[in-house]
């Protein structure tokens, strides 16, 4: 668009597909990510959104209803899906899995106490005919106490927690729950005695659903699938603050019969000696806005080296996996490429991932939200959506001002700066997320429940918020509708 602010040109990306096994990693470059600032209006005044409306989630009102009726904090949430990302109801019940924590905890203390809970509600009811809070019934925790701690050789953990993942419905009502099983080893002051230990893990159960509700059996054993290897994916020895989590499995339409997984990782460099390259910066020849590699490496940007990993299942039970090289790196761009997922549409592979404003590297800025990349296959020279910026759906944000923190928003920030996070793109472009903080510095409330569902339309390498959806673009609260109903589950 002609109203872009001055800045570097984005990197040229071909979208060309490579074999999943190939050693090609697409780069979300600094030249790409600097398009975020070029999209931002430098004249936007205090507390107003500086980003284009087409890429901004409509403002969520502060008087939101609570989906758990006061039972638990709720954040990252995922539906019951098949290999193509379709969302299923079972015997007329929609089912979702959420990270939950006790409401006696402060919302920011939740991460080391997270457990996977589930909710259900009757399928096939239009959002505007449901109770305002989405009409879910909280079913409780998925795992009995002690089950998810068993995989850790070192049982001296201080905290043992369950982080995000994804759930696959298989034949006969079997559910394969992929998640991140985490042990922390901290002293009483909260410092690491040794690095935390996040593992990508699987537990198998069965769903029992009828008009009275939903119960699970199984989920009494956990299989550890993957630990960061230090070659492709950074380990705790390389960086005690490493990220390795959030498995999402799928079948690649170009390789039917094979199951793959994407997950959040970091590039496998030691924290203190990490270096970014000319390719990570990605400037075009002669770009007057280019930075030098030395200047970027001296800036502290090397602490932010997120990547998106790929693994391939070695057996039909999906209990054995092998790492493949990462499909995307964000070296010197952002440290967190969380909850990655694929959406296949119009013959293209769309890769989505969430990132925080505060995890961007020095010299890069962009809103909290979901970022998208498009290519011809699951390993491609991915083109970041929307002019190379990657932004698909961000919170209303003013990039002219600091963000503050969810517990202390900056005085000049838009009330929506932290309104939603952990966006998950569903069939039909629907996007669900959870509420973090809504309001301004002097008047804000914490969330802990799901936001209104919104809709984005994908069109090649562009996307736009659909403001005709719901009420000015905001659909039902906590609305995660199944698009397929089955009796026996999975492929029938
Ligand atoms: C995203 C996230 C995930 C992680 C979970 C931990 O909100 O950071 O990456 O699995 O939350 O609470």
């Amino acid at each position: 668009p002609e109203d872009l602010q001055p800045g570097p040109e984005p990197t040229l990306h071909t979208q060309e597909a490579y074999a999943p096994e190939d050693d090609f990693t697409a780069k979300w470059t600094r030249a790409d990510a600097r398009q975020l600032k070029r999209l931002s209006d430098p004249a936007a005044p205090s507390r107003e959104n500086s980003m284009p409306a087409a890429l901004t989630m409509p403002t969520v009102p502060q008087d939101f209803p609570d989906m758990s009726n006061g039972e638990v904090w709720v954040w990252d949430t995922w539906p019951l899906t098949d290999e193509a990302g379709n969302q299923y109801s079972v015997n007329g019940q929609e089912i979702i899995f959420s990270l939950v924590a006790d409401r006696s905890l402060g919302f920011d203390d939740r991460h080391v106490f997270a457990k996977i809970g589930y909710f259900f509600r009757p399928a096939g009811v239009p959002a505007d005919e449901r109770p305002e809070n989405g009409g879910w019934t909280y079913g409780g925790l998925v795992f009995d106490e002690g089950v998810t701690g068993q995989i850790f050789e070192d049982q001296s953990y201080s905290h043992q927690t369950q982080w995000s993942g994804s759930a696959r419905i298989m034949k006969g009502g079997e559910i394969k729950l992929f998640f991140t099983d985490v042990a922390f080893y901290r002293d009483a002051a909260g410092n690491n005695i040794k690095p935390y230990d996040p593992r990508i893990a699987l537990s198998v159960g069965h769903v029992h659903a009828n008009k009275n509700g939903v119960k699970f059996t199984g989920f009494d054993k956990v299989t550890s699938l993957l630990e960061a290897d230090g070659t492709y994916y950074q380990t705790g020895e390389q960086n005690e603050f490493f990220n390795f989590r959030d498995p999402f499995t799928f079948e690649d339409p170009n390789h039917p019969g094979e199951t793959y997984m994407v997950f959040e990782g970091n590039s496998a460099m030691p924290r203190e000696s990490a270096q970014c390259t000319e390719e990570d910066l990605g400037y075009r020849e002669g770009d007057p806005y280019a930075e030098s590699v030395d200047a970027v490496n001296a800036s502290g940007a090397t602490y932010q080296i997120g990547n998106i990993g790929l693994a391939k299942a070695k057996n039909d039970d999906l209990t054995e996996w092998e790492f493949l090289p990462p499909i995307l790196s964000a070296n010197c761009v952002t440290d967190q490429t969380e909850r990655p997922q694929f959406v296949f549409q119009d013959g293209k592979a769309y890769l989505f991932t969430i990132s925080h404003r505060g995890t961007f590297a020095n010299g890069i800025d962009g809103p909290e939200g979901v970022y998208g990349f498009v290519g011809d296959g699951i390993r491609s020279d991915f083109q970041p959506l929307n002019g190379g910026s990657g932004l698909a759906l961000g919170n209303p944000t003013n990039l002219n001002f600091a963000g503050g923190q969810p517990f202390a928003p900056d005085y000049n920030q838009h009330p929506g700066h932290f309104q939603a996070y952990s966006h998950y793109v569903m069939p039909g472009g629907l996007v669900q997320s959870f509420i973090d903080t809504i309001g301004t510095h002097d008047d804000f409330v914490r969330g802990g429940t799901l936001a209104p569902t919104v809709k984005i339309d994908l069109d090649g390498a562009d996307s736009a918020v659909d403001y005709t959806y719901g009420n000015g673009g905001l659909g039902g609260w906590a609305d995660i509708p199944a698009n397929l109903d089955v009796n026996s589950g999975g492929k029938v």
Side-chain angles (χ1 to χ4, degrees), residues 47-99:
R47 300 195 174 183
E48 283 184 24
N49 178 29
S50 71
M51 300 302 283
L55 307 181
T56 303
M57 185 178 183
T59 301
V60 177
Q62 212 180 39
D63 59 342
F64 51 82
D66 169 30
M67 70 184 286
S68 84
N69 298 308
E71 289 211 50
V72 281
W73 294 128
V74 176
W75 66 109
D76 297 16
T77 296
W78 58 96
L80 199 52
T81 55
D82 67 9
E83 69 290 340
N86 289 302
Q87 300 185 174
Y88 285 81
S89 60
V90 180
N91 293 336
Q93 295 281 4
E94 291 177 347
I95 302 165
I96 53 174
F97 297 87
S98 299
L99 297 188

Side-chain angles (χ1 to χ4, degrees), residues 336 338 354-356 368-369 395 419-423 433-434 436:
Q336 292 193 350
E338 307 192 280
I354 54 170
S355 206
H356 284 292
E368 308 261 313
N395 285 340
Q419 69 179 17
Y421 193 61
S422 214
H423 306 74
S433 56
F434 78 88
D436 190 347

Side-chain angles (χ1 to χ4, degrees), residues 33 70 114 131 145 156 174 190 234 262 273 321 372 394 463 487:
E145 192 61 42
S156 72
E174 185 190 73
Q234 194 182 49
V262 282
S273 59
W321 292 77
S463 73
N487 295 316

